Amino acid sequence: MNNWPEGWHGDNGGDRYGRGSASAQPEGARVMRQVGRGPGVGPSAPPRGGVPPQPTYDDGYGHPDDNFNSGYNTGQVYGSPGGGGPDGPASHGRRPRPAPNWGRRIKWTAITVVTLLVVVSISTYFWADSKLKREVDLSKVIDRPETGEGTNYLIVGSDSREGLSAEEKKRLRTGSADGKRTDSMMILHVGDNGNTMISLPRDSNVEIPSFKGSDSGKLYEGTGRQTKLNAAYAEDGPELLVRTVEANTGLHIDHYAEIGFAGFAKIVDSVGGVEIEIPKGGMKDTKSGADFEAGKQTLNGEQALAFVRTRYALAGSDLDRTKNQQKFLSALANQTATPSTVLNPFKLYPTMGSGLDTLTVDKDMSLWDLASMFWAMKGITGGEGKSMNMPISGNASNGNLQWDTAKVKALVEQLKNDEKVTVTE
């Protein structure tokens, strides 16, 4: 028997549905209490002894009560506009991506490219610099003329067979002589008033001056002995050759560069051959292996070597040969400096490697000096300079080619003062 007043149970005086009460009132009536909202209206406490009145959900005819607002139809739970729910703006995808900042992208792309070029350039510089064979010590040359304006290079093509196999010697017709001799010699003057390339015939008659031995350091006094210019190289190498050229011309030599047969042929092949024009009548020489028809043609390494060594098939012998050597070296420099070689690492590095591996220079020669020499040779091909032989007056009593003393003196003065060369052969 229940001793509590009607409608009361529990221990604090309120109706408690769901605690064993026999009332049919559902638990949701207590838990999901609905509160009417309006101006100045707030939730009210339930009257003692009963359940608070519940708002009508429907008018009895299936129509919703317009005055009812449960709080669930505001979109705050299920996503009304602005609620972020399924029907809100965020449900249609992520926040729109901002437009690309092209200025920033271009800036960083440029920085990356420039950085890469700097790294490659520096790496190439040190790689190329390490390959230079700086073996000629010009400090051993004594009694040197004063330095003039501009830069003077002594460029030597030797007949060294170093690096050639027996088969290559046979194919290139170099012979098998031991040691090495000068096969061509020329002075290249680089200055502000035009560059000048002057060939020195190897049969030029010169006086061997006093000199200091390049290996022994011993002083050899001059005896007035006259001989061919290439004999100086054969006796004591590059240092005596420089000493002899300076003593007989009065021109200071700033740098020395030498290349042998093997290196010359490899450079030509690495650039894919060099186009040259063979003069009328063609060229054929069984000793050098030259066999060319007249007209423009591309020579490979083997053919190029035969071309620059040919002398017996030429009317002017050694004098005509030196002109062909100038012509070819200028054409080689001009072709090597094309964009197809410079901008193509698959051609540039083999070309540089072929040349630097067999190029011997003086100890003070930098890559910048070498590049200056190269570009000057290229410019001469394009008509930006002059090429000539050392002026010859005839033959000396010993049969060697005698230089024209007056013209040589005038030529040297123009070179020393870096003036435009007006002297002719």
Side-chain angles (χ1 to χ4, degrees):
M1 179 175 179
N2 187 357
N3 294 324
W4 291 92
E6 184 179 4
W8 287 72
H9 62 84
D11 56 359
N12 58 0
D15 284 340
R16 297 293 183 266
Y17 298 100
R19 288 191 178 182
S21 170
S23 172
Q25 183 73 23
E27 180 75 3
R30 175 175 61 83
V31 180
M32 303 289 288
R33 181 179 299 122
Q34 307 299 321
V35 179
R37 296 178 182 175
V41 179
S44 60
R48 186 178 182 81
V51 178
Q54 303 297 311
T56 303
Y57 286 85
D58 146 342
D59 60 5
Y61 295 94
H63 300 292
D65 186 351
D66 293 337
N67 294 323
F68 174 71
N69 184 358
S70 67
Y72 290 91
N73 63 348
T74 64
Q76 296 176 0
V77 176
Y78 292 106
S80 65
D87 297 326
S91 66
H92 298 292
R94 296 182 178 179
R95 182 178 302 173
R97 298 179 65 179
N101 188 336
W102 289 108
R104 182 183 178 86
R105 290 187 179 186
I106 293 174
K107 172 185 175 182
W108 282 107
T109 299
I111 291 175
T112 301
V113 171
V114 171
T115 301
L116 181 61
L117 288 175
V118 170
V119 171
V120 172
S121 298
I122 293 175
S123 300
T124 300
Y125 177 89
F126 284 106
W127 168 78
D129 189 72
S130 67
K131 282 186 166 292
L132 272 181
K133 298 166 64 176
R134 296 183 173 93
E135 299 178 355
V136 180
D137 189 357
L138 296 184
S139 67
K140 295 179 180 180
V141 180
I142 62 174
D143 300 333
R144 309 193 66 185
E146 292 184 2
T147 303
E149 300 293 328
T151 305
N152 299 313
Y153 298 85
L154 181 59
I155 304 172
V156 175
S158 75
D159 64 358
S160 171
R161 283 81 175 170
E162 184 178 354
L164 292 176
S165 64
E167 182 181 348
E168 289 174 325
K169 291 177 182 178
K170 182 179 180 180
R171 177 170 57 85
L172 297 176
R173 297 174 181 263
T174 64
S176 300
D178 294 329
K180 57 183 181 179
R181 285 154 294 279
T182 53
D183 204 59
S184 62
M185 294 163 283
M186 57 188 70
I187 294 172
L188 174 65
H189 174 81
V190 179
D192 295 331
N193 291 301
N195 304 318
T196 305
M197 185 181 290
I198 308 164
S199 286
L200 309 176
R202 67 176 188 175
D203 291 342
S204 297
N205 190 59
V206 294
E207 180 181 330
I208 300 297
S210 58
F211 67 96
K212 182 184 291 186
S214 58
D215 292 329
S216 65
K218 180 181 177 181
L219 181 64
Y220 295 88
E221 294 291 345
T223 62
R225 177 170 56 98
Q226 296 189 350
T227 185
K228 294 180 180 180
L229 180 60
N230 64 347
Y233 183 94
E235 288 184 26
D236 199 46
E239 288 84 1
L240 179 54
L241 178 61
V242 171
R243 167 68 176 133
T244 303
V245 170
E246 289 186 341
N248 284 266
T249 63
L251 185 68
H252 182 93
I253 300 299
D254 299 291
H255 293 293
Y256 178 92
E258 175 189 324
I259 191 167
F261 284 160
F264 181 81
K266 287 179 181 178
I267 291 176
V268 174
D269 285 334
S270 66
V271 298
V274 175
E275 186 179 74
I276 200 77
E277 184 168 358
I278 304 299
K280 185 178 180 179
M283 182 185 297
K284 188 169 185 178
D285 184 359
T286 56
K287 291 189 176 182
S288 68
D291 188 3
F292 310 119
E293 295 181 357
K296 286 187 177 181
Q297 51 193 286
T298 299
L299 307 184
N300 60 25
E302 178 182 349
Q303 294 169 326
L305 190 57
F307 176 78
V308 299
R309 296 183 64 214
T310 296
R311 60 183 299 192
Y312 296 105
L314 305 175
S317 188
D318 201 39
L319 293 179
D320 283 348
R321 182 175 72 158
T322 56
K323 292 180 180 179
N324 283 341
Q325 291 170 346
Q326 291 179 348
K327 180 179 179 181
F328 190 87
L329 287 177
S330 296
L332 174 60
N334 186 64
Q335 183 159 329
T336 305
T338 59
S340 62
T341 298
V342 176
L343 299 180
N344 183 353
F346 296 102
K347 289 187 69 176
L348 176 62
Y349 286 97
T351 301
M352 292 180 66
S354 298
L356 296 174
D357 280 342
T358 56
L359 187 66
T360 301
V361 299
D362 65 271
K363 292 186 176 181
D364 294 326
M365 176 84 85
S366 67
L367 285 178
W368 178 261
D369 296 321
L370 191 62
S372 177
M373 180 187 81
F374 179 82
W375 285 103
M377 294 170 62
K378 176 182 180 295
I380 290 175
T381 301
E384 299 176 0
K386 181 175 183 177
S387 60
M388 60 183 291
N389 278 324
M390 186 66 83
I392 302 294
S393 61
N395 292 99
S397 57
N398 56 9
N400 300 331
L401 295 174
Q402 185 65 51
W403 293 350
D404 188 315
T405 306
K407 285 189 174 183
V408 170
K409 182 178 179 180
L411 173 61
V412 169
E413 285 300 313
Q414 290 177 347
L415 295 178
K416 279 185 174 181
N417 298 322
D418 194 21
E419 300 172 353
K420 183 176 181 180
V421 173
T422 59
V423 176
T424 58
E425 297 179 28

